[in-house]
Amino acid sequence: APMVSDQLATHLTAVTQRGRAILSKTGRIATVRLRLPVLDITGVIQPGKLVEYVDGATTRRGLVRGVSISATLPQVWQTLTVETHE
C-alpha cells in the first residue's frame, strides 16, 4: 500500500483505523454468500460482524456486508453476504 500521511490525524486510534482501511484494500477480495439457519445461540448475524467459516480445507474470515432472512416455518434461514480476502 502507498504511504499516507495526514497532519490532522494525531490520535493513535484514528491513525490505526485509517491504516486498517488502507491495508484492507490490498490483495484479492471475494464476496461470498453463506446460507445458514437462524439459531438461538447466534441469532441473526448483523452486518459489520466478523465471521469465520470453512471453505473446503481452508478456514476463512470475512466481514458481513449484508443479510437476508427467509422463513418457511418451522425453519428460519439467513443468507449472509460476506467480504473476504483470499
Side-chain angles (χ1 to χ4, degrees):
M3 176 63 107
V4 174
S5 63
D6 187 339
Q7 293 179 1
L8 297 176
T10 58
H11 194 273
L12 179 61
T13 304
V15 175
T16 302
Q17 291 299 322
R18 176 97 185 260
R20 285 183 182 156
I22 292 168
L23 291 174
S24 70
K25 293 181 182 178
T26 61
R28 292 179 22 190
I29 299 173
T31 301
V32 297
R33 295 173 61 85
L34 305 173
R35 185 172 186 260
L36 59 149
V38 176
L39 303 173
D40 289 336
I41 193 167
T42 61
V44 175
I45 299 172
Q46 299 295 318
K49 295 287 186 180
L50 290 174
V51 294
E52 188 172 80
Y53 63 97
V54 176
D55 180 14
T58 305
T59 300
R60 300 189 186 277
R61 289 188 183 101
L63 180 65
V64 177
R65 292 294 190 180
V67 62
S68 65
I69 306 295
S70 63
T72 306
L73 294 178
Q75 298 178 341
V76 180
W77 292 87
Q78 58 187 327
T79 302
L80 307 177
T81 302
V82 178
E83 179 181 292
T84 185
H85 293 258
E86 297 182 335

